[in-house]
Amino acid sequence: MMIRPVALVATLIVSAALCFAPQLLGTYHLSVLFQLLAFIALTQSWATFSGMTGYASLGYAAFYGLGAYVMALGWMVLPLWQLIPLAGLAAGLLALAIGMVALRVRGPYFVILTLGISELVRYVVVAVEAKLGASGRVLFLVPDMPTLYFFMLALAAAATAITWYIGRSRMGAGLQAIREDETAAITVGVPTARIKTIAFALSAIIPGMVGAVWILRSTYFEPAQVFSPAMSFSIITMAVIGGSDKALGPIFGAAFVVLLSELLWARAPQLYMIVLGVLLICFVLFAPDGIYGRLRAALVRDPK
């Protein structure tokens, strides 16, 4: 499928602006953009599997947290250019192991199972840290903010490109067939078990790398925080609000939620959670195709 000239020009302009952001923005605004890019990468990864298959996973906090743990263990032992891919590889292998078990069930059973496995991974890491006599790890001599920003920008761009490509590939068609009717997909010869497992493992790699870069920004690893289920719920919220099955959807969803959090979180955190919960319910009931779907329908005058 050819890229429209207008979309190409817009992509180039946005890319150029993002590349020059460290020179144009102050520390606070660059930190907000860093957070936005991180959630774009995480939400795109969720959309690559869950958005296309309909298997809503609550296990992405485990992949994110494992990547952070790999970075915390290896920092100042291995070079950064090795640690970030290693974090992604560890998360991918964990997802592969989880997928071989969890993908045998569907619907709410899959949701509960992924949440349970994520919590199991968290408590295993907590137990390991307790055996090592550590309750948390401080990371010293971390790279400066512009360096971390460019790492996160690369991850967000890669996650967006992967979602865009898979959505237009033969594999993406198979994943979408699973979402529509998995039994029918099996009947017509779609290798559902294989492509589900591959997609699930691939979708965990970038969250692992995001966790590795994020922990360098926070400079402190604490298992209960990085493995928190709130991370998985945040990713799903952004995906639903943005529209989870197209590459632009997670961008809209992440931007909306991050900007809302910046406006309300510091002033009224309780109000922020209430507003976010109400918005999620409204989108699920009245706009299941998300912000992107509504905008697209308005622009092309097509309710679909």
Side-chain angles (χ1 to χ4, degrees):
M1 180 180 293
M2 295 182 62
I3 301 176
R4 295 178 182 178
V6 174
L8 180 60
V9 172
T11 301
L12 292 175
I13 292 173
V14 172
S15 299
L18 290 172
C19 289
F20 287 102
Q23 288 75 39
L24 300 174
L25 301 178
T27 303
Y28 170 74
H29 291 97
L30 189 63
S31 297
V32 174
L33 187 54
F34 175 87
Q35 180 183 5
L36 172 59
L37 292 172
F39 278 113
I40 288 175
L42 292 169
T43 309
Q44 293 284 16
S45 299
W46 189 90
T48 301
F49 173 75
S50 294
M52 293 187 187
T53 63
Y55 279 69
S57 172
L58 287 175
Y60 283 82
F63 311 141
Y64 168 89
L66 182 61
Y69 191 43
V70 169
M71 178 60 73
L73 290 174
W75 181 241
M76 301 186 72
V77 177
L78 295 174
L80 186 60
W81 65 270
Q82 290 181 0
L83 276 173
I84 294 177
L86 184 61
L89 178 61
L93 291 175
L94 175 63
L96 184 62
I98 292 174
M100 290 179 178
V101 177
L103 290 172
R104 296 176 182 272
V105 297
R106 308 179 189 179
Y109 303 104
F110 177 78
V111 177
I112 295 170
L113 186 57
T114 54
L115 177 61
I117 293 176
S118 179
E119 288 294 280
L120 174 63
V121 173
R122 176 169 71 158
Y123 286 113
V124 167
V125 172
V126 169
V128 170
E129 286 292 278
K131 289 291 184 180
L132 296 175
S135 58
R137 295 175 183 268
V138 180
L139 282 67
F140 297 101
L141 302 175
V142 299
D144 58 13
M145 184 61 196
T147 301
L148 297 178
Y149 166 81
F150 282 115
F151 274 118
M152 197 63 78
L153 176 60
L155 292 175
T160 302
I162 290 170
T163 302
W164 182 87
Y165 176 77
I166 290 181
R168 289 159 176 77
S169 68
R170 185 174 181 178
M171 179 180 179
L175 295 173
Q176 292 167 18
I178 291 171
R179 181 183 63 195
E180 298 303 322
D181 190 330
E182 186 168 354
T183 302
I186 295 172
T187 302
V188 298
V190 177
T192 57
R194 178 164 58 88
I195 64 173
K196 281 190 302 182
T197 304
I198 292 173
F200 190 56
L202 288 176
S203 72
I205 293 174
I206 285 182
M209 292 191 282
V210 169
V213 177
W214 188 287
I215 207 67
L216 291 175
R217 170 59 179 161
S218 65
T219 71
Y220 182 71
F221 174 83
E222 204 285 315
Q225 182 179 3
V226 297
F227 286 95
S228 172
M231 176 60 72
S232 295
F233 287 111
S234 296
I235 294 171
I236 293 178
T237 300
M238 293 177 189
V240 170
I241 289 177
S244 62
D245 61 346
K246 302 293 182 183
L248 284 176
I251 296 176
F252 285 119
F256 181 87
V257 174
V258 169
L259 292 176
L260 180 66
S261 69
E262 289 300 314
L263 290 173
L264 295 179
W265 182 258
R267 298 180 180 88
Q270 292 82 8
L271 179 62
Y272 163 73
M273 296 304 296
I274 293 173
V275 170
L276 193 61
V278 171
L279 284 172
L280 180 59
I281 294 172
C282 290
F283 272 96
V284 170
L285 293 177
F286 305 112
D289 50 354
I291 295 174
Y292 172 73
R294 294 294 91 194
L295 289 176
R296 185 172 180 274
L299 290 174
V300 302
R301 298 179 180 275
D302 182 359
K304 296 183 180 180

